[in-house]
Short mmCIF file of all heavy atoms in Angstrom, two decimals:
data_model
loop_
_atom_site.label_atom_id
_atom_site.label_comp_id
_atom_site.label_asym_id
_atom_site.label_seq_id
_atom_site.Cartn_x
_atom_site.Cartn_y
_atom_site.Cartn_z
N HIS Z 523 -15.82 -3.62 7.14
CA HIS Z 523 -15.67 -2.78 5.94
C HIS Z 523 -14.20 -2.93 5.32
O HIS Z 523 -14.01 -3.32 4.20
CB HIS Z 523 -15.98 -1.33 6.27
CG HIS Z 523 -15.72 -0.38 5.12
ND1 HIS Z 523 -16.76 0.12 4.42
CD2 HIS Z 523 -14.61 0.12 4.62
CE1 HIS Z 523 -16.31 0.87 3.43
NE2 HIS Z 523 -15.00 0.95 3.57
N GLU Z 524 -13.20 -2.71 6.18
CA GLU Z 524 -11.83 -2.81 5.69
C GLU Z 524 -11.47 -4.21 5.32
O GLU Z 524 -10.67 -4.37 4.35
CB GLU Z 524 -10.85 -2.25 6.77
CG GLU Z 524 -11.07 -0.84 7.19
CD GLU Z 524 -11.06 0.21 6.07
OE1 GLU Z 524 -10.56 -0.09 4.99
OE2 GLU Z 524 -11.70 1.26 6.31
N HIS Z 527 -12.27 -4.68 1.70
CA HIS Z 527 -11.16 -4.23 0.79
C HIS Z 527 -10.03 -5.18 0.80
O HIS Z 527 -9.50 -5.46 -0.23
CB HIS Z 527 -10.65 -2.85 1.34
CG HIS Z 527 -11.58 -1.68 1.19
ND1 HIS Z 527 -12.03 -1.33 -0.11
CD2 HIS Z 527 -12.03 -0.81 2.04
CE1 HIS Z 527 -12.75 -0.21 0.07
NE2 HIS Z 527 -12.83 0.09 1.32
N MET Z 549 -12.03 2.41 -7.41
CA MET Z 549 -12.53 2.65 -6.03
C MET Z 549 -14.00 2.27 -5.93
O MET Z 549 -14.48 1.90 -4.88
CB MET Z 549 -12.32 4.08 -5.57
CG MET Z 549 -10.83 4.41 -5.22
SD MET Z 549 -9.96 2.98 -4.30
CE MET Z 549 -10.96 2.85 -2.90
N HIS Z 552 -14.01 -1.31 -5.46
CA HIS Z 552 -13.42 -1.53 -4.13
C HIS Z 552 -14.49 -1.29 -3.04
O HIS Z 552 -14.65 -2.16 -2.15
CB HIS Z 552 -12.20 -0.68 -3.87
CG HIS Z 552 -10.95 -1.44 -3.55
ND1 HIS Z 552 -10.88 -2.27 -2.48
CD2 HIS Z 552 -9.78 -1.57 -4.22
CE1 HIS Z 552 -9.72 -2.88 -2.52
NE2 HIS Z 552 -8.98 -2.49 -3.57
N GLU Z 553 -15.09 -0.16 -3.09
CA GLU Z 553 -16.10 0.23 -2.12
C GLU Z 553 -17.36 -0.79 -2.14
O GLU Z 553 -17.96 -1.01 -1.13
CB GLU Z 553 -16.58 1.62 -2.28
CG GLU Z 553 -15.61 2.61 -1.64
CD GLU Z 553 -15.37 2.40 -0.14
OE1 GLU Z 553 -16.31 2.21 0.56
OE2 GLU Z 553 -14.21 2.41 0.30
N SER Z 556 -16.29 -3.52 0.14
CA SER Z 556 -16.33 -3.25 1.60
C SER Z 556 -17.75 -2.98 2.07
O SER Z 556 -18.18 -3.41 3.17
CB SER Z 556 -15.49 -1.97 1.88
OG SER Z 556 -15.84 -0.93 1.04
N ARG Z 557 -18.58 -2.39 1.25
CA ARG Z 557 -19.96 -2.07 1.59
C ARG Z 557 -20.76 -3.35 1.66
O ARG Z 557 -21.73 -3.38 2.39
CB ARG Z 557 -20.59 -1.05 0.65
CG ARG Z 557 -19.93 0.19 0.56
CD ARG Z 557 -20.55 1.21 1.47
NE ARG Z 557 -19.55 2.09 1.97
CZ ARG Z 557 -19.65 2.78 3.13
NH1 ARG Z 557 -20.76 2.72 3.78
NH2 ARG Z 557 -18.68 3.55 3.51
N TYR Z 674 -12.61 11.26 -5.02
CA TYR Z 674 -12.67 9.90 -4.32
C TYR Z 674 -14.03 9.67 -3.75
O TYR Z 674 -14.63 8.57 -3.89
CB TYR Z 674 -11.59 9.83 -3.23
CG TYR Z 674 -11.34 8.50 -2.62
CD1 TYR Z 674 -10.07 7.95 -2.74
CD2 TYR Z 674 -12.29 7.83 -1.93
CE1 TYR Z 674 -9.78 6.72 -2.15
CE2 TYR Z 674 -11.98 6.61 -1.31
CZ TYR Z 674 -10.80 6.05 -1.42
OH TYR Z 674 -10.54 4.88 -0.86
N TYR Z 678 -17.68 6.23 -3.12
CA TYR Z 678 -18.34 5.56 -1.96
C TYR Z 678 -19.79 5.21 -2.36
O TYR Z 678 -20.29 4.11 -2.06
CB TYR Z 678 -18.28 6.43 -0.72
CG TYR Z 678 -16.95 6.52 -0.04
CD1 TYR Z 678 -16.44 7.79 0.36
CD2 TYR Z 678 -16.17 5.41 0.24
CE1 TYR Z 678 -15.28 7.88 0.97
CE2 TYR Z 678 -14.93 5.53 0.81
CZ TYR Z 678 -14.49 6.79 1.22
OH TYR Z 678 -13.23 6.88 1.82
ZN1 ZN X 968 -13.73 1.81 2.18
#
Side-chain angles (χ1 to χ4, degrees):
H523 177 100
E524 300 306 337
H527 288 303
M549 285 322 299
H552 239 299
E553 280 301 314
S556 53
R557 300 264 146 202
Y674 191 118
Y678 287 135

